[in-house]
Amino acid sequence: MNSLTRLLAATALTLALGSAASAKTLVYCSEASPEGFDPALYTAGTTFDASSRTVYNRLVEFKHGSTETEPGLAESWEISEDGTEYTFKLRPDVKFQTTDFFTPTRTLNADDVIYSFERQLKSDNPWNQYVAGASWEYASGMGFPDLIKSIEKVDDLTVKFTLNRPEAPFLADLAMDFASIMSKEYADQLKEAGNEATLNQQPLGTGPFQFVAYQPDAVIRYKANPDYFKGKQPIDDLIFAITTDASVRAQKLKANECQIFPYPNAADVESLKSDPNLEVPSQEGLNVAYMAYNTTQAPFDKVEVRKALNMAINKQAIIDAVFQGAAVPAKNPIPPTMWSYNDTVQDDPYDPEKSKQMLKDAGVENLSMKIWAMPVSRPYMLNARRAAELMQADLQKVGVSAEIVSYEWGEYLEKSKAKDRDGAAMLGWTGDNGDPDNFLDTLLGCEAVGGNNRAQWCDEEFDALVKKAKVTSDQAERTKLYEQAQVVFKEKAPWLTIDHSTVFMPMQKSVKNFHQDPLGYHRFDDVDIAE
């Protein structure tokens, strides 16, 4: 090798090393594995973080750190005077991702929008049951099959939704994860090959990051989408390191093995705050934790029994033990930071003696029940097992024997939906769109029974109020209806409302432009990391 050749080789090596060194990697220690990668099939934030918030976009999006909507894949829209027609103008030249498993031949068009929704709305759509037992929980629970009369392709870049009635939160609903836009061309290719299930295993969209690989229960790898319509992201490689133990997540953050993680143990927060390399922002969560009784099963079908059990539980003790005070007791199914919150509602008091008497008066003796405890940390419940143990001890004091049960997270979510589920299931919710409808109808409406309505509770008075609020455009009138609905909820007690929590998000100080989100999103678009 002559001197010129050696010089050129050394220069090439230097350039290659410099390029590799300049690549930015962010590791996010996520709290659990996703159930899949098709966000329309699921309701868990863990799944959304891994799919809709990385790989996909929607017609409209929520602004960073806000419940305000802004243009997404639709650059503009028009709404008819009667509120039943929404016409969206799509951005031109939006590219789907090019990956090892798919190369698109065209850009986004109206066919992709129609495919993304009709598979959820129409039982005869060939993609409606591409995953066995698909229930399309959001679309179904929010009544979209009845709400949407038609979706029409006006031209390649124009789509018109016609509704059967006005729907006040409709635009915000379209910014939710289940409304992510898929590639019909990719779906068609999978169907032709007989590999439809791959859609839920190898996601492909228009979003800021594209899927590379998933090692179940261990790691998900993404890389920046070079063709993203808002421009390539500052982060080159995004890694989700699945770490179910909150203490281990904290240790990894301190060691800089990950740069950001959610849901720290309350006991670890002060230690994390004292680390000079870290920062721990926080905000009040738009959330609620609850225990849903199966109101179709005796004796939980009796209001007086449900209220008696509520009065046996010391919620403040749970908050002190699990959150170390970084939460407030919940009395309503919506958080106090949400408009229409009814502060005049009186909570069921902690009164074991009265609880015991009410159970006796209801003819309930020697009751044995199950408390379902989540296996993962959630913003609204950091340690469900500990909370369940405290409930178990409280119930024992009033003569109720409680068995704590749990399952793997995906199985837990699926089994807890069953209409014949026994006992009371602990769960919670972080608002998806900032509208009370997303709590009151999505979690407690009659259409959500067998899905998000884990209490299997269909109350005509409550349902009529929230359905009327849906079609009312005046927010002051909607507020009155939701306030009344909260009164009915408290009188009927389908849940034990537990808490509304403060949400902490520990991260290395090197992480820049991460926005804590009132909707509980963990988004990494626009996020950078200092070298």
Side-chain angles (χ1 to χ4, degrees), residues 454-472:
R454 269 22 183 233
Q456 317 301 343
W457 183 64
C458 179
D459 183 86
E460 290 183 7
E461 182 183 7
F462 178 91
D463 206 59
L465 288 166
V466 296
K467 290 296 189 290
K468 185 176 181 182
K470 268 181 179 284
V471 301
T472 303

Side-chain angles (χ1 to χ4, degrees), residues 38 40 56-57 59 73 96 108-121 125 127 136 139 151 161 177-184 187 199 204:
D38 181 345
Y56 295 107
N57 292 109
L59 292 174
L73 293 176
F96 283 98
L108 171 81
N109 68 29
D111 294 330
D112 303 304
V113 177
I114 293 170
Y115 162 74
S116 299
F117 285 95
E118 286 195 342
R119 69 199 184 107
Q120 303 182 55
L121 305 178
N125 185 282
W127 282 88
W136 309 102
I151 309 175
F161 287 70
D177 301 87
F178 81 97
S180 296
I181 303 304
M182 324 286 278
S183 164
K184 183 177 185 298
L199 188 72
L204 183 133

Side-chain angles (χ1 to χ4, degrees), residues 142-309:
M142 295 165 64
F144 266 41
D146 294 325
L147 171 67
I148 297 175
K149 182 178 182 181
S150 64
I151 309 175
E152 301 169 65
K153 177 179 180 178
V154 178
D155 57 48
D156 271 357
L157 293 178
T158 311
V159 186
K160 184 169 79 170
F161 287 70
T162 302
L163 310 184
N164 284 313
R165 60 178 186 272
E167 180 89 349
F170 185 67
L171 199 62
D173 291 345
L174 294 186
M176 290 167 57
D177 301 87
F178 81 97
S180 296
I181 303 304
M182 324 286 278
S183 164
K184 183 177 185 298
E185 185 185 19
Y186 177 47
D188 288 344
Q189 175 182 293
L190 293 175
K191 192 161 189 64
E192 186 176 347
N195 293 330
E196 290 96 327
T198 300
L199 188 72
N200 195 32
Q201 300 161 1
Q202 293 183 323
L204 183 133
T206 58
F209 296 95
Q210 56 192 58
F211 176 84
V212 176
Y214 173 43
Q215 183 180 344
D217 302 323
V219 64
I220 315 170
R221 298 182 184 278
Y222 308 87
K223 65 179 182 180
N225 175 8
D227 298 319
Y228 186 44
F229 68 90
K230 292 185 178 180
K232 181 191 167 296
Q233 296 302 299
I235 298 298
D236 297 291
D237 297 294
L238 176 63
I239 297 171
F240 280 32
I242 298 164
T243 312
T244 57
D245 188 307
S247 296
V248 176
R249 294 199 295 276
Q251 291 165 13
K252 285 186 174 182
L253 181 71
K254 287 190 170 189
N256 201 25
E257 292 176 20
C258 62
Q259 287 74 53
I260 185 168
F261 82 88
Y263 321 137
N265 285 329
D268 292 336
V269 169
E270 288 308 313
S271 170
L272 293 165
K273 285 182 175 179
S274 68
D275 189 314
N277 297 313
L278 307 179
E279 58 183 8
V280 187
S282 64
Q283 67 178 15
E284 286 186 74
L286 196 72
N287 62 37
V288 63
Y290 62 85
M291 188 167 69
Y293 302 106
N294 188 340
T295 60
T296 67
Q297 304 290 313
F300 309 109
D301 55 343
K302 295 182 178 181
V303 171
E304 57 270 32
V305 172
R306 301 195 296 265
K307 291 186 82 68
L309 295 174

Side-chain angles (χ1 to χ4, degrees), residues 39 43-58 177 180 208-209 238 263 430-432 519-525:
T43 63
T46 301
T47 299
F48 297 154
D49 289 342
S51 58
S52 43
R53 298 167 189 171
T54 48
V55 177
Y56 295 107
N57 292 109
R58 288 138 295 280
D177 301 87
S180 296
F209 296 95
L238 176 63
Y263 321 137
T430 297
D432 291 293
L519 303 174
Y521 283 20
H522 298 126
R523 289 173 51 180
F524 298 99
D525 50 316

